[in-house]
């Protein structure tokens, strides 16, 4: 999965023009880094304080607004919103997979191994979507 994620991000970033990199927007290499960044940005407990911190993904999008077309800006915001929604969905699913078993796949799984495979596949799918949204944001704002 990490190889696929790396390839996806590498492909997306190879298409980005290097002439207009934005502030400190750097690529996050793993889904864990992306999840941590998004959770940190959206936690009510995190305060900016007086220390100099790296701008959030949302702030980077806002900073890029002036040089993006209206549709690019809207796409970046939309990708960010969907990424945040998927991070939330992933966290909730990890906490209680049975609660979010809308199709009844886990309840009807013939064995514990099949149930675990279903859970792992769902988590991997959500992580891949989060990485895709992130790669799309990077591609748009850079």
């Amino acid at each position: 999965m990490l190889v696929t994620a790396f390839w996806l991000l590498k492909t997306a970033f190879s298409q980005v023009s290097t002439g207009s990199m934005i502030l400190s927007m750097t690529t996050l290499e793993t889904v864990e880094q992306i999840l941590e960044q998004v959770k940190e940005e959206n936690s009510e407990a995190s305060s900016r304080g007086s220390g100099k911190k790296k701008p959030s993904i949302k702030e980077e999008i806002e900073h890029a607004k002036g040089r993006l077309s209206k549709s690019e800006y809207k796409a970046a915001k939309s990708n960010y919103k969907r990424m945040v929604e998927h991070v939330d969905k992933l966290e909730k699913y990890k906490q209680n997979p049975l609660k979010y078993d809308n199709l009844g796949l886990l309840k009807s799984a013939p064995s514990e191994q099949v149930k675990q495979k279903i859970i792992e596949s769902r988590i991997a799918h959500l992580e891949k979507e989060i990485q895709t949204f992130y790669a799309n944001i990077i591609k748009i704002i850079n």
Side-chain angles (χ1 to χ4, degrees), residues 93 115-127:
Y93 186 79
K115 187 182 289 191
Q116 192 59 38
K117 181 65 178 165
I118 292 168
I119 292 170
E120 290 170 3
S121 297
R122 176 70 175 147
I123 289 171
H125 174 75
L126 288 170
E127 288 176 343

Side-chain angles (χ1 to χ4, degrees), residues 59-140:
E59 290 171 338
E60 293 283 3
I61 293 169
E62 290 302 316
H63 179 72
K65 182 179 181 179
R67 60 181 177 72
L68 298 175
S69 69
K70 188 175 180 179
S71 64
E72 288 172 329
Y73 175 68
K74 186 175 178 181
K77 280 182 34 177
S78 176
N79 275 284
Y80 180 78
K81 180 181 175 192
R82 297 202 56 215
M83 182 175 66
V84 170
E85 289 169 352
H86 278 68
V87 167
D88 184 51
K89 190 184 296 187
L90 175 62
E91 292 302 309
K92 288 178 180 177
Y93 186 79
K94 283 181 177 179
Q95 289 175 2
N96 189 357
L98 288 173
K99 183 177 179 181
Y100 299 97
D101 183 27
N102 299 337
L103 301 176
L105 297 175
L106 295 175
K107 290 179 184 173
S108 64
S111 68
E112 198 58 39
Q113 291 87 359
V114 172
K115 187 182 289 191
Q116 192 59 38
K117 181 65 178 165
I118 292 168
I119 292 170
E120 290 170 3
S121 297
R122 176 70 175 147
I123 289 171
H125 174 75
L126 288 170
E127 288 176 343
K128 184 174 187 274
E129 287 194 349
I130 291 165
Q131 288 175 317
T132 300
F133 293 132
Y134 181 79
N136 289 343
I137 292 167
I138 295 293
K139 187 176 177 180
I140 292 167

